[in-house]
Amino acid sequence: MGVIDKVLCPRCGHEPASKSVFQCSECRSILEVHVNTNQLTNADFERMRQSRDQSIWRWFDFFPVSQRSSIVSLGEGGTPLIPAARLGAKLGIEKLYLKNDTVLPTGSLKDRSNSVGVSVAREWEFKTAAVMSTGNAAGSVAAYSAAAGINSVVMVPAGTAPSKIIQARAYGATVVVIDGSFDYEVAKLYKAAVQEFGWYDCLSSNPYRDEGKKSYAYEMVDQFDGKTPDWVIHPTAGGTGIYAMWKGYKELLSLGWIERPPKLVAAQSEAAAPIVAAFEKGLPDVEPIVARETIAESIQVGNPASLGWRALAALRESRGTAIAVSDAEILEAQALTGSLSGVFAEPAAATSVAAAKKLRDTGVIGHDDIVVCNLTGHGLKQPEAIRLTEKDFTPIAPTLDMLRQYIARFEIT
Ligand SMILES: Cc1ncc(COP(=O)(O)O)c(C=O)c1O
Ligand SMILES: [Zn+2]
């Protein structure tokens, strides 16, 4: 059982009287949930590894949910770790693996967080869950709320891909499209709305929800048979993935279940890279920027307000790095990943592969390093990123002769 030891401010050390507040009353920092894992033994590790449950909930003892009956699960987690030999050969990385989170229930990594977050909402008997989102969190919160029997309200900025709005609607969410930027107008309105209506907040400023992405660490340790890769590269927006993975690895380290953690890499789009900028300047915290448009729309975040500084700390403690990639590099990585590994990742997700290529090209990653690229969202989330021409849709006459001419263009045998 995930026993909550304490909820503590990681900045000033203040411990609130209630465990159900998210923000420090003294310094406004987001609080941190500490789950007591000290009592876990090697036998517990084996028990969890052998569990028939392949979802994140086989690691129940690590999550801040006190009763199994509160769990809201759609079978998230346990995603394939694919050895990607052909893609690896192209990038010059012999031991390249893809952590394929495109197969999660709503098609993105957000299910790891929201399964935990909405389980807590159910435990606390909330009636409505809310989130503001660049798209993926919207669908995920909507799906888990539907499964829990909780209402959901999602706020998205104008310009969000229609496929993402459609998905949230399909799960019964109330979708509010807001004329304004994600980081500023949408954020301001969202904050005020959560206060006014008393909704359960499923944002990354919810420290309970954030615990869900620790599951990357547990799963990979299991999949690598107790070992750890040299590098894990994560497409990064608000920094939850980096922060939470590192927390998970530290737990495993303190339990003696791993010998050394991997180096973590935050991959961002050049158009929205405040974490990379802060990392390169050696700053302790992130300076918000106005994000520009990018093909990696799911990670178009200029102000990783609550977790930015903790993601930076995780990158440094792990001796990892942060790297920005251009839209052209992202689209190339998306195409290579699809055609050389059989995984269709959305552009934001393909930033991890673009980053792997860049880090290999500059010699930061060695040719025989073990590298994991997290592929965090399905390509069908943003199908319009694949640019097709008129020709792709133009039918040919149904004759073998026409087919021969057509096929000849593609050098297919
Ligand atoms: C596809 C995809 N990848 C990665 C992320 C990374 O988010 P974070 O840095 O909060 O882990 C997001 C979320 O915004 C996303 O939608
Ligand atoms: Zn504080």
Side-chain angles (χ1 to χ4, degrees), residues 108-110 134 136 213 234-242 298-299 346 348-349 376-377:
S108 91
L109 81 168
K110 302 286 179 183
T134 49
N136 283 329
K213 287 187 196 166
H234 188 72
T236 297
T240 326
I242 292 288
S298 298
I299 54 169
E346 68 169 287
T376 48

Side-chain angles (χ1 to χ4, degrees), residues 346-358:
E346 68 169 287
T351 54
S352 60
V353 175
K357 179 173 187 304
K358 214 162 173 172

Side-chain angles (χ1 to χ4, degrees), residues 321-341:
T321 190
I323 185 162
V325 286
S326 69
D327 276 14
E329 289 168 323
I330 293 168
L331 286 171
E332 185 198 7
Q334 183 191 37
L336 290 175
T337 305
S339 60
L340 296 177
S341 77

Side-chain angles (χ1 to χ4, degrees), residues 8-14 23-31:
L8 210 62
C9 175
R11 239 206 246 268
C12 76
H14 175 70
Q23 202 174 29
C24 177
S25 55
E26 307 299 306
C27 74
R28 316 307 301 160
S29 185
I30 299 305
L31 298 168

Side-chain angles (χ1 to χ4, degrees), residues 82-332:
I82 305 169
R86 294 184 67 222
L87 180 60
K90 177 81 183 168
L91 305 191
I93 303 171
E94 275 167 35
K95 297 167 195 154
L96 178 68
Y97 292 82
L98 303 176
K99 181 67 175 155
N100 186 10
D101 267 11
T102 71
V103 302
L104 284 171
T106 73
S108 91
L109 81 168
K110 302 286 179 183
D111 295 343
R112 293 183 183 273
S113 326
N114 289 313
S115 180
V116 175
V118 175
S119 298
V120 172
R122 172 138 95 181
E123 201 150 274
W124 293 353
E125 298 178 352
F126 270 86
K127 297 212 162 22
T128 302
V131 77
M132 67 169 199
S133 167
T134 49
N136 283 329
S140 182
V141 168
Y144 283 86
S145 300
I150 293 174
N151 302 317
S152 60
V153 179
V154 301
M155 295 187 178
V156 298
T160 297
S163 48
K164 291 179 175 171
I165 295 175
I166 290 165
Q167 189 184 21
R169 285 288 298 277
Y171 299 127
T174 300
V175 182
V176 193
V177 182
I178 292 154
D179 187 12
S181 80
F182 181 72
D183 290 316
Y184 296 95
E185 288 89 357
V186 181
K188 197 166 161 212
L189 182 61
Y190 174 79
K191 222 170 161 191
V194 167
Q195 280 261 321
E196 165 130 358
F197 299 107
W199 296 328
Y200 179 79
D201 181 1
C202 288
L203 217 52
S204 59
S205 47
N206 173 342
Y208 287 84
R209 189 211 82 138
D210 297 343
E211 292 285 288
K213 287 187 196 166
K214 294 192 305 186
S215 54
Y216 276 122
Y218 317 139
E219 282 182 24
M220 280 189 224
V221 167
D222 178 39
Q223 290 171 315
F224 279 115
D225 221 1
K227 304 216 170 42
T228 39
D230 296 301
W231 302 90
V232 179
I233 309 179
H234 188 72
T236 297
T240 326
I242 292 288
Y243 153 74
M245 256 196 295
W246 186 237
K247 195 168 182 220
Y249 276 114
K250 280 196 296 189
E251 288 169 346
L252 296 172
L253 202 60
S254 69
L255 286 166
W257 293 0
I258 55 170
E259 282 172 15
R260 61 167 184 94
K263 292 182 240 212
L264 302 185
V265 180
Q268 297 202 289
S269 157
E270 275 175 1
I275 292 181
V276 176
F279 184 84
E280 285 174 353
K281 288 188 207 157
L283 301 178
D285 203 348
V286 176
E287 294 171 331
I289 57 149
V290 177
R292 284 177 282 116
E293 292 247 317
T294 166
I295 191 73
E297 59 176 41
S298 298
I299 54 169
Q300 190 181 322
V301 173
N303 185 8
S306 50
L307 287 176
W309 68 277
R310 280 149 86 187
L312 279 172
L315 295 175
R316 289 181 179 130
E317 279 174 35
S318 76
R319 297 184 301 115
T321 190
I323 185 162
V325 286
S326 69
D327 276 14
E329 289 168 323
I330 293 168
L331 286 171
E332 185 198 7

